[in-house]
Structure formats: structure tokens, C-alpha cells
Amino acid sequence: MGKRYWLVALVAFAAALAAVLVARIWLAPAPPVENEVHALLHDRLTLDAGQKQRIADLEAAFARRKAALDAEMRADNQRLAAAIAAEHGYGPRVAQAVDRSHQAMGELQKETLKHIFAMRGVLRPDQAALFDAAVVKALTQPAG
């Protein structure tokens, strides 16, 4: 019986680890909005020196906040893995870990939107129109 218990625990742990890795793959890529906006700001808009500096400052501040939220999400994934390994199913600890991870993901989404609007505030009206179009495109294009 002891060997069987350890085998079940090992399989459950492997499943939990696989679930975390799959979640990390889905969460890891930069969202299309960030990719589209970054390309627009740095490759297609002609920014003056003041705009470049203000955007660089905004990006540095956002990078720090994003790093903190990414660390929080990694910790949430570890708690989820531990909960899955402990409960071997969708129990109260798993549900709590999922809810907690959704809070961090939601906070990252809010911070990203605040960052996007802050960068938009640096732009001239003609640049902002292109910026808005890039954001809309990124948000409405099919995933893939």
C-alpha cells in the first residue's frame, strides 16, 4: 500500500506541475496590445526627445510594477501546485489558489491599461489617433 500511495502522490504532483507549466506558457507571452503598442511607439511614431524620455520613464516604472506582479503570479502558481498535490482534485484549497491567481492577473491587466493610457497622454493628437488604432487592432484581432 505504501508504494501505491507514493505513486499516486508522484502522479498528482506531476499533473500539478504540468498544469502550472501550461498556465505559465499561456501567461508568459506579452499580450498583443503591449506588442502592438511597443512597435508603434518605438518603430513607427516619430517621437521628440521629451516624449522619448517620458515614455522611457513610464516604461521603467511599469517594468518594476510588472516584475512585482509576475513574482506574485509565480507564487500563486506554486500555491496552486501545492493545493493540487494536496487535494488531488478541485477542492477548497485549489479554488482559493485559483481565485488568488485571478486577482493578480486582474491587477496586472489594470496596471497594463493604466500604463497604456499614461503613454497615450504623452502623445500629440495625430500620434494618439495612430496609437488608438493600434490598441483597437490589438484588442480585436483573432488570437493566434
Side-chain angles (χ1 to χ4, degrees), residues 32-51:
V33 174
E34 288 182 53
N35 292 337
E36 190 72 27
V37 168
H38 189 270
L40 176 71
L41 287 173
H42 297 286
D43 300 333
R44 297 192 302 264
L45 289 182
T46 304
L47 302 174
D48 64 36
Q51 288 174 311

Side-chain angles (χ1 to χ4, degrees), residues 87-96 98-99:
E87 293 184 327
H88 308 294
Y90 193 84
R93 285 182 59 193
V94 170
Q96 183 180 22
V98 168
D99 289 343

